[in-house]
Amino acid sequence: MQCQAQLQRSTITLKGSAQIVTQYFEYAVQSILYQRGVYPSEDFKQKKEYGIMLWVSNDESLNKYLSTILSQTKAWLETGKLRQLVLVITDVNTSEVLERWTFDIETNQEVVAGGKPPEKAESEIKGEIAGILRQICASVSFLPLLDTRCSIDILVYTDNIDEVPTEWEDSDARNIKNAEVVNLRAFSTKVHNVKTMVAYKSEDML
């Protein structure tokens, strides 16, 4: 008798994929803020997600800020309009951009247009996300120490939206000149494909 283990495949709807990607953004940003020491470590608590232990913030103002942004980005994901989300870490004293974490999003436009939703095992998606979050945790091994007080901004790039929410404002790209760039792993729900990378000022430039 021959037995074969199979992954449980699930239909990934546009809304379901948007929820998965939004949750990834939340935990990725929280992990970056903790690992890079942007907020005090005592402001974070541990939480198990994707089979690994992550750090999430207790800071009410930060969580409210992230919630406002992520609820809107989720809506743009659901309409296939979101192209990129960028977390910018800036020196408070000089306004110089020290790190720029970029999340590029490619959307399956056939699904947006009402095509048949694809199938993929949720466990496979979670495994891919866990791998990226582990890379974020390990990023302290190559990123320069942030030994100054920092602030954050989140930039969002979209395709042809009719109306911008009043709490959003235009911004420049906040690029880093002659930056070092490291590409992290990607993950895919088969509706959205998300690539993560970080650009930073090398120690020679500091």
Side-chain angles (χ1 to χ4, degrees), residues 110-148:
E110 289 184 10
V111 177
V112 175
K116 183 181 177 181
E119 291 186 351
K120 186 169 182 175
E122 287 190 28
S123 60
E124 188 179 351
I125 298 170
K126 288 182 177 180
E128 291 174 1
I129 292 174
I132 304 168
L133 292 171
R134 287 193 186 98
Q135 285 187 307
I136 290 172
C137 291
S139 65
V140 292
S141 65
F142 63 82
L143 291 173
L145 179 68
L146 297 178
D147 56 359
T148 184

Side-chain angles (χ1 to χ4, degrees), residues 46-119:
Q46 280 197 307
K47 180 179 179 181
K48 190 170 184 178
E49 199 68 52
Y50 310 110
I52 58 177
M53 297 305 295
L54 301 171
W55 291 94
V56 295
S57 175
N58 287 320
D59 187 296
E60 287 187 14
S61 60
L62 171 61
N63 288 336
K64 184 178 179 181
Y65 171 71
L66 292 178
S67 177
T68 299
I69 289 171
L70 293 175
S71 63
Q72 182 58 64
T73 56
K74 182 172 179 284
W76 284 329
L77 282 164
E78 290 175 353
T79 56
K81 299 290 188 183
L82 188 67
R83 288 191 293 111
Q84 192 178 82
L85 184 142
V86 181
L87 171 65
V88 178
I89 300 177
T90 307
D91 185 325
V92 168
N93 298 317
T94 64
S95 298
E96 183 178 25
V97 177
L98 302 177
E99 290 180 13
R100 196 176 188 274
W101 292 79
T102 302
F103 305 90
D104 283 321
I105 302 102
E106 295 176 1
T107 305
N108 184 334
Q109 293 300 330
E110 289 184 10
V111 177
V112 175
K116 183 181 177 181
E119 291 186 351

Side-chain angles (χ1 to χ4, degrees), residues 176-195:
I176 301 172
K177 189 175 181 181
N178 300 320
E180 298 281 345
V181 177
V182 175
N183 290 300
L184 278 62
R185 295 176 184 173
F187 81 91
S188 175
T189 66
K190 290 194 173 180
V191 178
H192 296 103
N193 187 61
V194 182
K195 298 176 182 176

Side-chain angles (χ1 to χ4, degrees), residues 25-42:
F25 286 158
E26 178 180 3
Y27 288 120
V29 169
Q30 297 262 18
S31 295
I32 292 164
L33 298 182
Y34 174 79
Q35 297 295 337
R36 305 304 292 132
V38 178
Y39 284 78
S41 58
E42 57 267 24

